[in-house]
Amino acid sequence: MTTIVHCNAATKTYGQDEVEVHAVQAVTVEVTKGEFVSLSGPSGSGKTTLLNLIGGLDRPTSGEITVDGSRVDQMKKADLAELRLHKIGFVFQAYNLIPVLSALENIEFIMQLQGISPDIRRKQALSILNEVGLEGLGDRRPAELSGGQQQRVAVARAIVSEPAIILADEPTANLDSATAEELLNLMESLNRNKQITFIVATHDQRVIDLTRRRIRMVDGRIDTDVTEAD
Amino acid sequence: MIFALARRNLWRQPRRTILSTLAIALTTTLMVFMLSFQFGGYLGMIESSMALFDGHLQIQVKGYKKDPSIRKTIDNPNNLLSKIIQNPKVKHAGGRANGFGLLSSPTRSFGAMIIGVQPEHEPGLSTVPKKIVEGRFFSQGADNEIILGQRLAQNLGLKVGDAVTLLGTGLNGSMAVDSLQIIGLFKSGIPEIDRRFAEMPLTRFQETFSIPDQAHSIVLSGASAIALQEEKENILALLDSDSNLVVLDWTELQPPILQAILLDMSSALLIYVVLIIVVTFSLLNSLLMSVLERTREFGMLMALGMKPAILGKVVWVETLMLILFGVLTGLLFGYAISEYYHQTGIYFEAMEEMMAEFGMSGSIYPIIHPFTLFAGPLFISLSIALAGLYPILRIRRLEPVMAMRKI
């Protein structure tokens, strides 16, 4: 199995001396292609920090982090941006769509940054829009979509450029039960059918139950790491 | 993508965008109009002052301007005139001679500047012929005639038709004595000139002051003092290289006007700088606000893989678009207002007396020139564009995680 993420004694400490906060402490973990991993744990357990470290949004204080063969902890700012653009998809709790772009343009946006030609990216974006169940809503701006629809656009944006991994931070936190379930089903089907690797930081038990590998963090360390047999 | 994002971002806060555009437009309008007005005033001042006596350019013997000795003459001025008039930019040219003399009536005497002029050329070189308020100007072939400033005639107690005696010093210390008939009185509006100046035909002047076939200056006029100033080198090239003659433009003929203009420009510059600083800082505030309130969004865009440099470009294009709309609008209004007043003039009743000292009427006509149109907008654009770099520098320093935590 191809290793997508490899963390070796990754540590993130905030502050200095007496007021140091060890957000992530010597975490060693490996995620392989096609896995659907949940990162759970109480607030402050370090799951979002670990997600940020893997996504190159934050730098580890020590340790090594490799994503799809690239050493994230050693990369420059511009190279990290390139890595995120080409290899990592993000889904945020607050959807974080670009308010001045339509749903379709939001999906196209990443491909546009990647320099893909207009014809191809429009075709691909339309296809993904249909896949996430938003056919006919491409012209709407985020403010004209419901929370669930916005999160679907966010998922579509994350998967459209076929990244090596998708990192989702509390993707269902702002959604009602029915919408959250629909979104989970969508992510699960994308994982099964397209072998897209997901790491989802969540409090939501439904998300945890859905994933096959469940990592629980406590005080910045991995408490349990359980993989469900197929 | 950058343009589409920038354009749409501008319309997220339409009120702020419109207000910012209006601030730039208003400042641009003001600057275009003020510069047109200011330079229109300068041009009017130069033309009016030069038109009375000096013409647009003068050829003199080197050093005559500083030390106007009767000995510093140009030989055979008509020969030189025939050469100079070949320059297409020169519309009129004529010789003049200047001397100081005592003018006497049977009861009084006054010292006066006596100017010998060529009657056939003078109407194209000076506005004195048009300022005759009594009598007439010289006709061609005039001989023992003289015209006086109206005040000078009053002081002498003379009127048109009376005779006046001239007593002066000719070349080599000889006596210059003549009796001339007053054929006209002029009123320039400048008191000093009206009580001290008199004109007589050049040929008679040459005889009286013993400078046969000589003159002290060749006066030239063209489309304007500025236009002929640009022709100075070409005219100089027409002169014999060993002739010891110089060509003087308006800045050399009337240094006080240049000094007055420079003084006015320096105080106006201060106003312009303050105006630009005020609009730049108000725009900087607006630009900074628009960046700060989108910090979270910028963090998200960076998380998605957008490089800070591209983000900076988006904000830069937003700034440039604001400048473009504002400056173009201001340019249009500034041009329209300046053009309107260029046609009608702006009359200043209270300043009429002061302006008369420079030979100007009470009206100022703004001018439309590339400098007056574009200098203001250019400096406003540059200043705001430079200020716009500060928000971009802030963007460059953003870290995705920290930025996304901002509310």
Side-chain angles (χ1 to χ4, degrees):
Chain A
M1 294 293 276
T2 316
T3 299
I4 299 293
V5 176
H6 177 72
C7 296
N8 183 19
T11 298
K12 179 68 186 180
T13 305
Y14 293 108
Q16 285 181 330
D17 304 326
E18 290 175 6
V19 285
E20 277 187 349
V21 176
H22 303 287
V24 170
Q25 295 188 65
V27 168
T28 298
V29 70
E30 199 169 275
V31 177
T32 54
K33 184 168 172 60
E35 278 196 292
F36 199 159
V37 183
S38 63
L39 269 179
S40 65
S43 294
S45 59
K47 49 191 188 298
T48 296
T49 305
L50 182 60
L51 216 57
N52 287 341
L53 292 176
I54 294 169
L57 297 176
D58 211 347
R59 289 175 188 277
T61 311
S62 63
E64 294 171 10
I65 298 172
T66 308
V67 174
D68 202 26
S70 304
R71 278 287 295 276
V72 174
D73 55 289
Q74 292 178 338
M75 283 180 150
K76 290 179 183 165
K77 204 172 171 179
D79 296 332
L80 279 174
E82 280 291 313
L83 179 90
R84 290 196 294 269
L85 180 62
H86 293 280
K87 295 191 173 174
I88 302 169
F90 286 95
V91 178
F92 304 102
Q93 178 181 338
Y95 325 133
N96 281 347
L97 298 177
I98 303 165
V100 294
L101 300 183
S102 68
L104 197 65
E105 287 168 335
N106 262 285
I107 297 169
E108 277 189 69
F109 181 72
I110 299 291
M111 291 186 285
Q112 212 167 346
L113 287 178
Q114 289 175 334
I116 295 170
S117 70
D119 290 350
I120 296 172
R121 65 177 189 244
R122 179 52 56 110
K123 202 171 148 188
Q124 223 161 316
L126 277 169
S127 154
I128 298 282
L129 196 71
N130 294 345
E131 212 169 313
V132 298
L134 294 175
E135 195 175 358
L137 300 179
D139 290 337
R140 292 201 188 171
R141 296 258 176 112
E144 299 164 340
L145 297 170
S146 69
Q149 287 170 333
Q150 286 188 56
Q151 199 59 300
R152 281 167 178 266
V153 175
V155 170
R157 180 179 65 182
I159 61 171
V160 73
S161 60
E162 297 173 0
I165 187 167
I166 290 178
L167 304 174
D169 189 7
E170 303 281 7
T172 57
N174 287 350
L175 303 179
D176 60 60
S177 307
T179 314
E181 193 151 339
E182 280 177 25
L183 182 78
L184 290 175
N185 290 336
L186 170 68
M187 288 163 69
E188 203 267 337
S189 87
L190 288 169
N191 171 253
R192 269 193 200 284
N193 302 332
K194 293 195 162 186
Q195 285 294 295
I196 296 174
T197 311
F198 278 89
I199 301 179
V200 186
T202 184
H203 280 104
D204 190 337
Q205 193 56 45
R206 289 165 304 178
V207 180
I208 299 166
D209 291 344
L210 189 82
T211 54
R212 288 185 294 284
R213 184 175 172 191
R214 297 157 194 165
I215 298 173
R216 182 175 161 77
M217 292 185 73
V218 176
D219 295 335
R221 296 175 193 278
I222 291 178
D223 183 41
T224 56
D225 183 351
V226 181
T227 304
E228 191 181 80
D230 281 328
Chain B
M1 173 182 68
I2 288 172
F3 280 95
L5 266 178
R7 186 169 48 83
R8 292 186 196 183
N9 281 336
L10 280 179
W11 290 109
R12 285 162 88 160
Q13 298 277 359
R15 191 182 302 171
R16 183 166 59 201
T17 301
I18 290 169
L19 283 175
S20 300
T21 308
L22 282 179
I24 300 173
L26 188 68
T27 315
T28 307
T29 304
L30 258 177
M31 280 201 70
V32 169
F33 176 68
M34 283 166 74
L35 280 168
S36 299
F37 176 77
Q38 189 185 350
F39 281 83
Y42 295 159
L43 208 62
M45 195 195 294
I46 295 166
E47 287 303 320
S48 303
S49 305
M50 305 308 288
L52 189 62
F53 271 119
D54 293 311
H56 293 148
L57 279 183
Q58 282 192 21
I59 299 168
Q60 297 177 355
V61 170
K62 194 175 180 182
Y64 180 77
K65 173 72 186 162
K66 198 176 174 188
D67 175 24
S69 159
I70 197 163
R71 292 187 188 86
K72 293 177 181 169
T73 55
I74 301 168
D75 292 332
N76 198 1
N78 286 331
N79 184 31
L80 194 56
L81 280 175
S82 61
K83 276 190 201 170
I84 285 158
I85 206 71
Q86 288 168 11
N87 184 306
K89 297 277 175 70
V90 177
K91 286 186 178 173
H92 302 278
R96 281 203 200 139
N98 311 306
F100 187 76
L102 195 67
L103 291 176
S104 303
S105 68
T107 53
R108 295 176 194 165
S109 295
F110 281 93
M113 176 60 72
I114 316 294
I115 301 166
V117 300
Q118 291 183 303
E120 66 274 31
H121 298 310
E122 198 61 17
L125 300 170
S126 159
T127 53
V128 169
K130 291 179 195 137
K131 292 184 185 290
I132 298 288
V133 288
E134 259 182 82
R136 59 172 176 83
F137 190 67
F138 307 112
S139 53
Q140 211 165 344
D143 188 22
N144 63 332
E145 296 175 348
I146 190 165
I147 61 168
L148 306 180
Q150 193 184 34
R151 193 63 185 271
L152 180 60
Q154 281 169 4
N155 290 341
L156 287 166
L158 296 173
K159 58 185 187 302
V160 172
D162 290 342
V164 65
T165 307
L166 165 65
L167 182 64
T169 308
L171 192 70
N172 301 324
S174 62
M175 291 285 283
V177 184
D178 205 350
S179 177
L180 302 156
Q181 189 189 10
I182 302 169
I183 60 154
L185 306 180
F186 64 86
K187 187 181 178 186
S188 69
I190 301 172
E192 179 66 12
I193 287 176
D194 292 343
R195 67 168 171 258
R196 284 178 54 84
F197 276 64
E199 288 188 357
M200 62 190 286
L202 180 64
T203 47
R204 184 76 179 206
F205 185 102
Q206 289 167 339
E207 270 176 45
T208 306
F209 285 86
S210 311
I211 50 165
D213 204 19
Q214 292 168 77
H216 291 116
S217 58
I218 303 291
V219 182
L220 317 178
S221 74
S224 70
I226 307 294
L228 221 52
Q229 187 182 20
E230 289 164 5
E231 204 58 24
K232 191 175 163 181
E233 290 302 316
N234 291 335
I235 290 165
L236 194 63
L238 292 173
L239 309 179
D240 293 335
S241 55
D242 56 348
S243 63
N244 197 30
L245 296 178
V246 289
V247 181
L248 305 179
D249 60 30
W250 69 271
T251 61
E252 294 153 309
L253 292 168
Q254 287 287 357
I257 293 177
L258 180 64
Q259 285 159 10
I261 288 173
L262 291 175
L263 185 70
D264 186 72
M265 278 173 89
S266 59
S267 59
L269 185 68
L270 193 69
I271 296 170
Y272 295 141
V273 168
V274 169
L275 201 63
I276 291 176
I277 288 175
V278 168
V279 76
T280 301
F281 273 91
S282 72
L283 257 292
L284 177 61
N285 179 47
S286 170
L287 293 171
L288 206 54
M289 274 304 297
S290 90
V291 166
L292 289 176
E293 70 191 15
R294 286 184 286 165
T295 303
R296 186 185 160 85
E297 186 181 317
F298 290 155
M300 176 269 291
L301 289 169
M302 287 162 74
L304 294 178
M306 195 171 193
K307 290 178 184 162
I310 299 176
L311 261 180
K313 276 184 194 165
V314 173
V315 175
W316 181 244
V317 171
E318 287 172 24
T319 308
L320 294 183
M321 282 178 167
L322 267 183
I323 293 171
L324 192 71
F325 295 144
V327 162
L328 283 181
T329 310
L331 196 57
L332 197 70
F333 278 100
Y335 172 75
I337 296 169
S338 303
E339 179 60 36
Y340 174 76
Y341 284 112
H342 175 66
Q343 302 296 337
T344 64
I346 305 170
Y347 178 62
F348 295 92
E349 194 178 356
M351 290 171 70
E352 197 171 11
E353 202 173 319
M354 188 202 85
M355 287 159 80
E357 286 185 26
F358 290 98
M360 295 172 75
S361 69
S363 292
I364 290 180
Y365 293 83
I367 56 158
I368 309 291
H369 183 271
F371 179 79
T372 63
L373 279 182
F374 300 116
L378 182 73
F379 282 109
I380 292 170
S381 305
L382 280 176
S383 175
I384 299 173
L386 277 176
L389 290 176
Y390 176 62
I392 293 167
L393 288 176
R394 285 187 69 103
I395 291 172
R396 289 204 165 221
R397 287 201 295 263
L398 284 180
E399 290 294 336
V401 172
M402 297 305 289
M404 286 170 77
R405 281 183 192 148
K406 299 272 181 189
I407 296 164

